[in-house]
Each structure stands twice: as C-alpha cells, then as structure tokens.
Coordinates of all heavy atoms in Angstrom, one line a residue:
C200 N 12.8 -4.6 2.7 CA 13.0 -5.9 3.4 C 14.0 -6.6 2.4 O 14.2 -6.2 1.2 CB 11.7 -6.7 3.5 SG 10.9 -7.1 1.9
A201 N 14.6 -7.6 2.9 CA 15.6 -8.4 2.1 C 14.9 -9.3 1.2 O 13.8 -9.8 1.5 CB 16.6 -9.2 3.0
G202 N 15.5 -9.5 0.0 CA 14.9 -10.4 -1.0 C 13.9 -9.8 -1.9 O 13.5 -8.6 -1.8
D203 N 13.4 -10.6 -2.9 CA 12.5 -10.1 -3.9 C 11.0 -10.6 -3.2 O 10.6 -11.6 -3.5 CB 12.7 -10.6 -5.2 CG 11.6 -10.2 -6.2 OD1 10.7 -9.4 -5.9 OD2 11.8 -10.5 -7.4
M204 N 10.3 -9.5 -2.6 CA 9.1 -9.7 -2.1 C 8.0 -9.1 -2.8 O 6.9 -8.9 -2.4 CB 9.0 -9.4 -0.6 CG 10.0 -10.1 0.3 SD 9.6 -11.9 0.4 CE 10.9 -12.5 1.3
S205 N 8.3 -8.6 -4.1 CA 7.3 -7.8 -4.8 C 6.0 -8.6 -5.0 O 4.9 -8.0 -5.1 CB 7.9 -7.4 -6.2 OG 8.4 -8.5 -6.9
G206 N 6.1 -9.9 -5.3 CA 4.9 -10.7 -5.6 C 3.9 -10.7 -4.5 O 2.7 -10.7 -4.7
R207 N 4.5 -10.7 -3.2 CA 3.5 -10.6 -2.1 C 3.0 -9.2 -1.8 O 1.8 -9.1 -1.3 CB 4.3 -11.0 -0.8 CG 4.8 -12.4 -0.8 CD 5.3 -12.8 0.6 NE 6.1 -13.9 0.6 CZ 6.8 -14.4 1.7 NH1 6.6 -13.9 2.8 NH2 7.5 -15.4 1.6
L208 N 3.7 -8.1 -2.2 CA 3.3 -6.7 -1.8 C 2.5 -6.1 -2.9 O 1.8 -5.1 -2.6 CB 4.6 -5.9 -1.5 CG 5.4 -6.3 -0.4 CD1 6.7 -5.5 -0.3 CD2 4.6 -6.0 0.9
E209 N 2.6 -6.6 -4.2 CA 1.7 -6.0 -5.2 C 0.3 -6.6 -5.2 O 0.1 -7.5 -4.5 CB 2.4 -6.3 -6.6 CG 3.7 -5.4 -6.8 CD 4.5 -5.7 -7.9 OE1 4.3 -6.8 -8.5 OE2 5.4 -5.0 -8.3
G210 N -0.6 -6.1 -6.0 CA -1.9 -6.5 -6.0 C -2.7 -6.1 -4.8 O -2.8 -4.9 -4.6
Q211 N -3.3 -7.0 -4.0 CA -4.2 -6.6 -3.0 C -3.5 -5.8 -2.0 O -4.1 -4.8 -1.4 CB -4.7 -7.9 -2.3 CG -5.6 -7.7 -1.1 CD -6.9 -7.0 -1.5 OE1 -7.4 -7.2 -2.7 NE2 -7.5 -6.3 -0.7
C212 N -2.3 -6.1 -1.5 CA -1.6 -5.2 -0.5 C -1.4 -3.9 -1.0 O -1.6 -2.9 -0.3 CB -0.2 -5.9 -0.2 SG 0.8 -5.0 0.9
L213 N -0.9 -3.8 -2.3 CA -0.7 -2.4 -2.8 C -1.9 -1.5 -2.8 O -2.0 -0.4 -2.5 CB -0.1 -2.6 -4.2 CG 0.5 -1.3 -4.8 CD1 1.6 -0.8 -4.0 CD2 0.9 -1.6 -6.3
Q214 N -3.1 -2.2 -3.2 CA -4.3 -1.4 -3.2 C -4.7 -1.1 -1.8 O -5.2 0.1 -1.6 CB -5.5 -2.4 -3.8 CG -6.8 -1.7 -3.9 CD -6.7 -0.4 -4.8 OE1 -6.3 -0.5 -5.9 NE2 -7.0 0.8 -4.2
E215 N -4.5 -1.9 -0.8 CA -4.9 -1.5 0.6 C -4.0 -0.4 1.1 O -4.4 0.5 1.8 CB -4.7 -2.7 1.5 CG -5.6 -3.8 1.3 CD -5.5 -5.1 2.2 OE1 -4.7 -5.0 3.1 OE2 -6.1 -6.1 1.9
L216 N -2.8 -0.4 0.7 CA -1.9 0.7 1.0 C -2.2 2.0 0.4 O -2.2 3.1 1.1 CB -0.3 0.4 0.7 CG 0.2 -0.8 1.4 CD1 1.6 -1.1 0.9 CD2 0.1 -0.8 2.9
Q217 N -2.6 2.0 -0.8 CA -3.1 3.2 -1.6 C -4.4 3.7 -0.9 O -4.5 5.0 -0.8 CB -3.3 2.8 -3.1 CG -3.6 4.2 -3.9 CD -2.3 5.1 -3.9 OE1 -1.3 4.7 -4.3 NE2 -2.5 6.3 -3.5
D218 N -5.2 2.8 -0.5 CA -6.4 3.2 0.2 C -6.1 4.0 1.5 O -6.8 5.0 1.9 CB -7.3 2.1 0.4 CG -8.0 1.4 -0.8 OD1 -8.0 2.2 -1.8 OD2 -8.4 0.3 -0.7
I219 N -5.1 3.5 2.2 CA -4.7 4.2 3.4 C -4.2 5.6 3.1 O -4.6 6.6 3.8 CB -3.7 3.4 4.1 CG1 -4.3 2.1 4.7 CG2 -3.0 4.2 5.2 CD1 -3.2 1.1 5.4
V220 N -3.4 5.7 2.1 CA -2.9 7.0 1.7 C -3.9 7.9 1.3 O -4.0 9.2 1.7 CB -1.8 6.9 0.7 CG1 -1.5 8.3 -0.1 CG2 -0.6 6.2 1.1
D221 N -4.8 7.5 0.4 CA -6.0 8.3 -0.1 C -7.0 8.7 1.1 O -7.5 9.9 0.9 CB -6.8 7.6 -1.1 CG -5.9 7.3 -2.4 OD1 -4.9 7.9 -2.5 OD2 -6.3 6.4 -3.2
G222 N -7.1 7.9 2.0 CA -8.0 8.2 3.2 C -7.4 8.9 4.3 O -8.2 9.3 5.3
F223 N -6.1 9.2 4.3 CA -5.4 9.8 5.4 C -5.8 11.2 5.5 O -5.7 11.9 4.5 CB -3.9 9.6 5.4 CG -3.3 9.9 6.7 CD1 -3.2 8.9 7.7 CD2 -2.4 11.1 6.8 CE1 -2.5 9.2 8.9 CE2 -1.8 11.3 8.0 CZ -1.9 10.4 9.1
E224 N -6.0 11.7 6.6 CA -6.5 13.1 6.8 C -5.4 14.1 6.3 O -4.2 13.9 6.8 CB -6.8 13.4 8.3 CG -7.4 14.8 8.6 CD -7.7 15.1 10.0 OE1 -7.4 14.2 10.8 OE2 -8.2 16.2 10.3
D225 N -5.7 15.0 5.5 CA -4.8 16.1 5.1 C -3.7 15.4 4.2 O -2.5 16.0 4.1 CB -4.2 16.9 6.1 CG -5.3 17.7 6.8 OD1 -6.3 18.1 6.1 OD2 -5.1 18.0 8.0
S226 N -3.9 14.2 3.6 CA -2.7 13.6 2.9 C -2.4 14.4 1.6 O -1.2 14.5 1.3 CB -3.2 12.1 2.4 OG -4.2 12.2 1.5
A227 N -3.3 15.1 1.1 CA -2.9 16.0 -0.1 C -2.0 17.1 0.3 O -0.9 17.3 -0.5 CB -4.1 16.7 -0.7

C-alpha cells in the first residue's frame, strides 16, 4: 500500500497474519 502503514500492520495484525500462515493446511 502507499505510505508508511507499518504502525498499523505490526503488533496485533502481524500476529494474526502469522497465525493464519501457521494454521494453513500444508503450509510447511
């Protein structure tokens, strides 16, 4: 996305995204 949005995406959002990756079927 345009601009510096790192503050919004790090922290809680980043953890939720990692959880999606870790829980996705056959992600490994």
